[in-house]
Amino acid sequence: MADLALLARTLEDAGEPGFRLGQVWRWLASGADSYELMTDLPATLRDRLSAEVPLSVLAVEREALARDGTEKALFQTGDGRPIEAVLMRYHDGRRSLCLSSQSGCPLTCTFCATGAMRFGRNLTSSEILDQALHFRRKEALNHVVFMGMGEPLLNLDAVLASCERLPDIGVATSNTAISTVGWIPGIERLATEGPRVRLALSLHAAEESLRSELMPVNERYPLADVLDACREWSARRNLPVFVEYLMLAGVNDRYEQAVELAETLIPRELFKVNLIPYNPTDSAFGGSSRTAIAAFKEALEERGLRATIRLTRGRDIDAACGQLAARA
Ligand code: SAH
């Protein structure tokens, strides 16, 4: 969206009235791909903005289109950091955009490709919104998930600032979800600060020791405490928590583990489990079979938990969950 601070300064230098900033933003939010289109701005101002304020702070390095219509964009920030964003297109008209909050990720979840790449830095809210605007220039969007690179709750100020503006782009707050490994201070802030976005927790194992092996962050914030924070968030926001559970063959997909998960997610009506088929990365894990996933789902449902199986999208272009690593 252009660097909003630079845009504001340039408008001020040009002696423009205060309403111009909102005017330009509305054009950008509705998908305008040049200042020339902004016909309610004076022509001289349009020329000046074209010369002085780049339309995006991100450079598009590469785009890839999967057979299922999923599209991935690899961007580079002004200081050369790689980031990726993915648009998932569904037959029912749903357009779900997966955004990155950091270049790389400082956490080291063992199954995730992003965790294996070098951590760069937090993204600014302009860099987050520019990922969305890139796709908004192609078509209307209606859902956003912060499930791309990075841990959104480690960059919460910028993430919330971008969430504030998503409705202008066409994405309702009720259709915006932030996913976390369980960074408790961030979950606590989300309970009271910012728009009422949805919360998703990457859980992956109900046993503390196994979860720590898979996700070292569990040593710092153990699952039991994370779930307490989620319950508190849920009570404050009056919303259920989405639980993501990656299905790893022979690791966390046994019947007893489904039972333990169901016993951990109490009260059950607070949680909705989304079982995620594992997408290949360079890790040593293998994905659970379809039948193992179906059986796990049934075991959860028998105990009164709501469970769904995530559709895998964009695998052929390394755009699926856990595959974002900015490989050229
Ligand atoms: N750091 C946040 C945001 C990223 S969300 C979080 O972890 O929640 C990305 C989701 O994809 C997470 O649920 C993550 O656990 C999952 N994931 C990671 N590697 C994966 C893989 N190889 N296959 C499928 N899902 C994976």
Side-chain angles (χ1 to χ4, degrees):
M1 67 168 167
D3 177 339
L4 264 198
L6 173 64
L7 181 60
R9 266 201 316 279
T10 309
L11 291 171
E12 212 182 299
D13 286 353
E16 289 293 330
F19 62 80
R20 289 283 185 231
L21 185 59
Q23 223 174 356
V24 174
W25 165 247
R26 277 190 297 281
W27 278 106
L28 292 171
S30 61
D33 62 2
S34 84
Y35 291 106
E36 286 317 302
L37 286 173
M38 305 181 187
T39 45
D40 52 359
L41 302 182
T44 47
L45 177 62
R46 296 198 304 249
D47 292 345
R48 177 156 179 190
L49 292 178
S50 305
E52 294 179 20
V53 186
L55 212 58
S56 172
V57 294
L58 300 177
V60 180
E61 289 288 293
R62 212 169 71 100
E63 295 182 275
L65 183 63
R67 283 188 291 276
D68 62 18
T70 298
E71 193 167 331
K72 177 166 88 166
L74 168 64
F75 305 96
Q76 206 166 66
T77 62
D79 59 345
R81 310 287 186 174
I83 46 177
E84 292 183 320
V86 178
L87 175 65
M88 288 153 285
R89 301 182 167 102
Y90 298 91
H91 293 303
D92 62 0
R94 183 180 172 119
R95 295 289 177 271
S96 195
L97 184 60
C98 180
L99 297 179
S100 293
S101 55
Q102 302 181 310
S103 174
C105 185
L107 304 175
T108 49
C109 300
T110 49
F111 43 79
C112 179
T114 308
M117 78 182 259
R118 206 169 63 87
F119 174 61
R121 62 166 172 79
N122 277 341
L123 300 180
T124 65
S125 59
S126 294
E127 287 165 340
I128 294 170
L129 284 167
D130 267 334
Q131 299 169 56
L133 290 182
H134 167 80
F135 288 101
R136 178 65 189 87
R137 290 193 279 272
K138 298 175 191 262
E139 64 195 273
L141 309 171
N142 44 43
H143 288 73
V144 161
V145 291
F146 282 86
M147 295 189 185
M149 289 179 173
E151 169 52 42
L153 300 193
L154 287 172
N155 186 19
L156 194 49
D157 291 334
V159 166
L160 286 181
S162 53
C163 287
E164 303 270 3
R165 288 182 180 271
L166 289 176
D168 300 338
I169 297 180
V171 180
T173 295
S174 56
N175 287 340
T176 301
I178 295 180
S179 179
T180 179
V181 296
W183 196 263
I184 292 177
I187 297 173
E188 289 172 350
R189 285 185 57 191
L190 277 181
T192 56
E193 276 179 52
R196 190 166 163 266
V197 297
R198 288 357 190 199
L199 177 65
L201 171 68
S202 293
L203 195 149
H204 307 325
E207 310 109 279
E208 299 280 1
S209 58
L210 175 59
R211 190 166 191 267
S212 292
E213 258 175 60
L214 298 175
M215 306 173 71
V217 69
N218 192 63
E219 303 266 324
R220 177 150 177 188
Y221 296 120
L223 180 60
D225 300 344
V226 172
L227 288 174
D228 281 342
C230 287
R231 290 183 189 99
E232 176 66 20
W233 174 87
S234 176
R236 295 251 187 178
R237 293 301 199 178
N238 194 23
L239 289 169
V241 177
F242 297 110
V243 167
E244 296 161 278
Y245 194 97
L246 186 54
M247 297 295 295
L248 301 171
V251 174
N252 66 354
D253 63 349
R254 288 198 310 280
Y255 176 78
E256 310 84 74
Q257 290 168 313
V259 174
E260 180 159 3
L261 180 61
E263 282 165 1
T264 306
L265 296 180
I266 303 281
R268 297 199 175 135
E269 62 279 10
L270 245 55
F271 299 96
K272 282 186 180 175
V273 179
N274 199 205
L275 300 173
I276 313 180
Y278 173 73
N279 298 307
T281 66
D282 291 336
S283 83
F285 295 105
S288 308
S289 66
R290 272 165 179 266
T291 39
I293 299 176
F296 200 91
K297 174 173 185 268
E298 211 177 289
L300 296 177
E301 285 173 337
E302 276 166 5
R303 286 161 183 78
L305 261 180
R306 289 169 288 181
T308 52
I309 300 172
R310 180 174 291 175
L311 280 176
T312 294
R313 311 279 302 184
R315 238 189 221 178
D316 53 319
I317 55 167
D318 281 346
C321 304
Q323 293 187 316
L324 301 186
R327 268 189 289 235

